[in-house]
Amino acid sequence: MSTVTTKDGVEIYYKDWGKGQPIVFSHGWPLSADDWDAQMLFFLDKGYRVIAHDRRGHGRSAQVGDGHDMDHYADDLAAVTSHLGLENAIHVGHSTGGGEVVHYLARHGESRVAKAAIISAVPPLMVKTEANPRGLPKQVFDDLQAQLAANRSEFYVAIASGPFYNYNRPDAKPSEAIVRNWWRQGMMGGAKAHYDGIVAFSQTDFTADLKTIGVPVLVMHSEDDQIVPYADAGPLSAELLKNGVLKTYKGFPHGMPTTQAETINADLLAFIQG
């Protein structure tokens, strides 16, 4: 397996396929690089070099007990890009991975980066605070942690077969294979990383990060996202970015890179080539 060891001694697994301009993919909670299969194969076929890593504690990376916060996530991503010597890269992040990309750009600079895209992403801030009165109550995320601690396997089945892909909608046509693959990826990772990760994706405020980013950023979000509510995420991020473009979808789920891969891939390609 291809791995890089971070400054604090954590082994991070990554995939690196093809040649050409690099596209780096950052996955969502609690998944792995495998969640980008549809995108990596598509862009590989288009002549790009595609890279995706498993976040610490996720997938095939080391199941360490600490460092499950956005600072470490961004630093781990930097370790991968530095190890591979990437230049003129495009960074694409989904959900928590969108936060990781935003924090990476703000924390490590844009010298290696050409463009970025964040899909169904957690910025600017998910949890409700005095400064973010429209956010979700902290109790929502406390409940997620409680369900994970009580029965992680059952909890992951419920998420994947329900709100993540909008399979709980009346007209939905659930795919058992997609649900199983989501569950498989989740259960590959460590419970501690996933438990702490809920705090990381819900309580990190990316407002300042978004304001510092100068490269073009495509913000892709669906109005029917049941995991990261649209009104408090996509439009606000696009407004805070210096060079942000909002692409809004109707009826697509949070996990739209999987269920709506054809549309998402085409829109990403148009942005990258534009």
Side-chain angles (χ1 to χ4, degrees):
M1 293 200 308
S2 299
T3 62
V4 59
T5 301
T6 66
K7 290 180 180 178
D8 61 337
V10 179
E11 192 172 63
I12 301 295
Y13 166 86
Y14 66 88
K15 305 176 187 184
D16 179 10
W17 304 339
K19 297 180 180 179
Q21 185 177 15
I23 305 178
V24 186
F25 296 93
S26 292
H27 65 78
W29 174 97
L31 304 171
S32 73
D34 294 354
D35 203 45
W36 291 110
D37 284 354
Q39 284 68 46
M40 292 185 71
L41 291 172
F42 174 84
F43 284 101
L44 180 66
D45 185 61
K46 297 296 182 183
Y48 291 89
R49 178 183 179 185
V50 292
I51 297 111
H53 70 292
D54 290 351
R55 190 169 296 120
R56 64 169 58 204
H58 295 62
R60 290 138 294 204
S61 291
Q63 291 194 16
V64 292
D66 55 10
H68 307 298
D69 55 69
M70 282 293 164
D71 285 351
H72 283 88
Y73 294 171
D75 293 351
D76 293 351
L77 175 56
V80 173
T81 60
S82 177
H83 174 71
L84 295 177
L86 303 183
E87 300 289 346
N88 196 35
I90 294 127
H91 281 266
V92 181
H94 175 243
S95 195
T96 299
E100 177 180 287
V101 167
V102 165
H103 202 51
Y104 163 78
L105 290 171
R107 187 172 170 88
H108 292 276
E110 304 169 9
S111 62
R112 295 174 176 269
V113 181
K115 293 181 178 181
I118 57 175
I119 308 171
S120 312
V122 297
L125 175 61
M126 285 196 72
V127 74
K128 181 179 181 180
T129 63
E130 287 187 9
N132 187 43
R134 296 192 305 176
L136 295 171
K138 183 175 178 294
Q139 186 61 47
V140 170
F141 304 105
D142 292 345
D143 288 346
L144 294 180
Q145 286 186 309
Q147 292 178 69
L148 186 153
N151 189 329
R152 186 165 66 118
S153 180
E154 193 171 82
F155 176 48
Y156 286 177
V157 170
I159 294 174
S161 60
F164 199 92
Y165 296 114
N166 285 0
Y167 286 158
N168 54 350
R169 295 301 195 210
D171 58 346
K173 296 179 180 178
S175 164
E176 184 178 352
I178 288 175
V179 172
R180 286 185 177 185
N181 190 41
W182 199 101
W183 180 89
R184 175 192 66 85
Q185 291 180 71
M187 295 306 293
M188 283 173 65
K192 181 63 161 56
H194 296 170
Y195 186 90
D196 292 351
I198 293 171
V199 173
F201 75 65
S202 66
Q203 296 187 26
T204 303
D205 189 342
F206 299 93
T207 302
D209 290 347
L210 290 162
K211 291 179 179 179
T212 68
I213 296 170
V215 296
V217 180
L218 177 63
V219 181
M220 310 168 79
H221 218 112
S222 172
E223 292 179 345
D224 199 26
D225 191 320
Q226 295 184 66
I227 304 296
V228 181
Y230 172 84
D232 302 325
L236 298 183
S237 289
E239 289 176 12
L240 289 165
L241 288 160
K242 295 176 182 177
N243 198 2
V245 176
L246 177 65
K247 178 73 175 180
T248 300
Y249 301 89
K250 295 183 182 296
F252 285 11
H254 182 71
M256 60 187 182
T258 297
T259 60
Q260 308 293 336
E262 185 175 350
T263 299
I264 298 303
N265 291 349
D267 290 345
L268 278 173
L269 182 62
F271 169 71
I272 290 168
Q273 294 182 338

